Amino acid sequence: MNYPLEMLSNEELKVLFKLFEIKPSEKEPSVKLERKLSKVLSPVKGFFNDPMDYLKFMNTIAEQNNIYLAETDSAYEKESELFLSLYQNNFRQLSVDEQKDFLAHLEDKGLSKEHVASLTALSTLGAAQLSGMGIYLLASSTVGAISTALNITLAFSFYTTMSSVIYTVIGPIGFAIAAIPLIKTYKDVRDWPDIRDKSIDIYRGLEGNFKNILFGNFAKAEMAFNYIAGLRIMKITEIENQINDLNKEIHISKREQNDLNSTINGIEADISLLNSQIDSKDRDIEDIKIKVNRLREEIDEIEASKRKLRDQQSERKAKIDQFHVERLSFNSKSRESELNIEEKEKEIKSLKK
């Protein structure tokens, strides 16, 4: 029947179980709860009527309160629009003085002017503008007040995940917000804790009441609806905030990544410059190597020329030795021979230069 009960934890379901007098220990209590929800708005207690699915359940509440829900909206959009419209209808039905007293009461109990203003603004907003602290505070206050009115206390952390100001929803402020529909019924009530006690009476359904038998129990249905819708708004708002936080982390990471990329690009530019300088040095080295090879070739040529000269030198020395031997052997040679020797020595000297 499409009632969004699967989104509720076992702890959260206890509120609806108590509201519809279902024991959690019963067999398939969630199935029984859904069946009772589908019959709560049926005439004659639903004995001879088809069960309502969640969309028809919401449409019936909307019709009872003269609220229009667009047919093209999704179930969640209808739910959000109806939740806000019920609050708006109840708030607008208060007199100007009652509205002022109600808002002043919220501020006296600890809400800041900004939070009171955000709640006041909800009286003019549409479902498309449901984001922000105001709708979260309204949803969490409604859930807190309903659960506490039925003497069921949800975990304190349940209300504090978004902001520390939500702690007020488990106190008088929560009852004040949830009690807007009751202000018109109990105008004589001046003690806010007493609203909790009287809200239990009105929301228990008054099963023996003739009006409930003929037309269905709208008080109980609206209480169950506001509880379910409030929880969904809280959960979705929390997830949206987590997404926003993650997007902020992503933004910070991307910014840091961009900074790193800039640093990397700068280092890569330095590396590119150093590569160019290294390439230039490599070219210088190649040029020097070419020059060295040319010098080595010149050295080889000079060495070869030097070897030839040494060969010639050796030949000349051999001749000198030969001449010395001849000179020693022929001391008696004529002056002419000596002159020839002198000429040869001159020739040797000439070659040694």
Side-chain angles (χ1 to χ4, degrees):
M1 286 173 278
N2 299 326
Y3 287 82
L5 301 178
E6 70 281 351
M7 74 170 184
L8 307 183
S9 67
N10 291 332
E11 183 183 12
E12 294 159 1
L13 283 170
K14 289 179 182 178
V15 174
L16 295 177
F17 289 155
K18 186 167 184 179
L19 180 63
F20 286 91
E21 299 178 354
I22 299 171
K23 295 181 179 180
S25 58
E26 294 182 29
K27 183 179 180 181
E28 297 184 330
S30 296
V31 175
K32 190 171 183 179
L33 172 61
E34 188 170 36
R35 185 164 57 249
K36 286 197 172 189
L37 280 168
S38 71
K39 294 284 189 176
V40 70
L41 292 179
S42 299
V44 197
K45 297 186 71 174
F47 290 150
F48 306 107
N49 294 277
D50 294 331
M52 292 183 182
D53 62 16
Y54 191 49
L55 286 176
K56 187 174 182 180
F57 175 82
M58 288 190 291
N59 286 332
T60 303
I61 294 175
E63 290 171 4
Q64 176 71 13
N65 290 276
N66 296 316
I67 296 170
Y68 170 75
L69 299 178
E71 291 297 330
T72 56
D73 287 344
S74 66
Y76 173 67
E77 289 170 334
K78 286 179 182 289
E79 183 183 77
S80 301
E81 182 65 40
L82 180 57
F83 179 80
L84 182 57
S85 296
L86 288 173
Y87 168 80
Q88 291 171 337
N89 280 4
N90 290 320
F91 188 84
R92 291 166 186 166
Q93 287 173 17
L94 298 176
S95 68
V96 174
D97 289 337
E98 286 173 333
Q99 290 179 7
K100 289 181 179 178
D101 290 343
F102 174 71
L103 296 174
H105 177 77
L106 296 182
E107 194 168 333
D108 289 342
K109 291 299 181 180
L111 280 187
S112 68
K113 291 183 181 294
E114 291 77 10
H115 293 134
V116 173
S118 67
L119 283 172
T120 306
L122 290 178
S123 63
T124 60
L125 294 177
Q129 299 166 293
L130 279 177
S131 60
M133 176 62 73
I135 189 63
Y136 187 92
L137 184 59
L138 176 62
S140 55
S141 298
T142 301
V143 171
I146 291 172
S147 61
T148 309
L150 295 172
N151 199 27
I152 296 176
T153 303
L154 300 178
F156 181 77
S157 60
F158 181 80
Y159 304 100
T160 58
T161 51
M162 183 174 180
S163 171
S164 59
V165 301
I166 302 302
Y167 78 90
T168 56
V169 303
I170 58 175
I173 294 175
F175 296 128
I177 294 174
I180 291 177
L182 305 180
I183 291 176
K184 299 186 294 298
T185 304
Y186 298 122
K187 289 186 178 180
D188 59 323
V189 174
R190 291 295 177 263
D191 183 18
W192 286 101
D194 191 40
I195 292 177
R196 175 184 59 188
D197 299 331
K198 293 186 179 297
S199 67
I200 294 174
D201 293 335
I202 193 172
Y203 281 136
R204 275 179 176 166
L206 304 175
E207 297 295 339
N209 188 291
F210 182 71
K211 181 180 178 181
N212 290 334
I213 295 175
L214 290 182
F215 303 109
N217 191 338
F218 279 92
K220 181 181 287 189
E222 287 185 25
M223 186 178 186
F225 167 77
N226 282 326
Y227 181 76
I228 292 171
L231 280 173
R232 175 133 54 181
I233 288 172
M234 290 174 66
K235 291 174 185 290
I236 289 177
T237 302
E238 287 298 335
I239 293 172
E240 288 175 344
N241 286 330
Q242 291 171 5
I243 290 172
N244 289 335
D245 290 341
L246 290 172
N247 282 330
K248 288 178 183 177
E249 291 179 8
I250 291 172
H251 177 73
I252 293 173
S253 296
K254 285 185 176 180
R255 186 175 61 194
E256 292 176 349
Q257 185 179 9
N258 289 335
D259 292 342
L260 288 174
N261 287 337
S262 297
T263 302
I264 290 171
N265 290 336
I267 294 174
E268 287 179 342
D270 292 340
I271 292 173
S272 179
L273 177 61
L274 291 171
N275 285 336
S276 298
Q277 293 174 344
I278 290 171
D279 291 340
S280 177
K281 296 302 180 184
D282 285 338
R283 288 191 295 270
D284 291 342
I285 290 172
E286 290 300 321
D287 290 341
I288 292 173
K289 284 181 178 180
I290 291 172
K291 291 179 180 179
V292 168
N293 289 333
R294 289 176 180 172
L295 289 173
R296 283 176 177 168
E297 290 176 356
E298 291 180 10
I299 290 172
D300 290 340
E301 291 177 357
I302 292 171
E303 288 288 349
S305 177
K306 181 180 175 181
R307 284 194 297 272
K308 289 180 179 180
L309 291 174
R310 286 190 180 279
D311 290 342
Q312 291 178 4
Q313 185 184 51
S314 296
E315 290 176 0
R316 296 302 185 270
K317 284 182 177 180
K319 286 183 179 181
I320 289 173
D321 292 339
Q322 181 181 353
F323 290 152
H324 279 301
V325 171
E326 289 179 357
R327 188 178 59 183
L328 293 172
S329 302
F330 301 101
N331 286 330
S332 61
K333 278 190 175 182
S334 62
R335 181 63 182 167
E336 183 178 354
S337 295
E338 291 177 350
L339 292 174
N340 287 335
I341 290 172
E342 289 176 358
E343 288 178 0
K344 295 293 183 181
E345 287 177 347
K346 288 179 181 181
E347 184 179 355
I348 288 171
K349 288 181 181 180
S350 176
L351 290 172
K352 288 182 178 182
K353 288 182 179 181

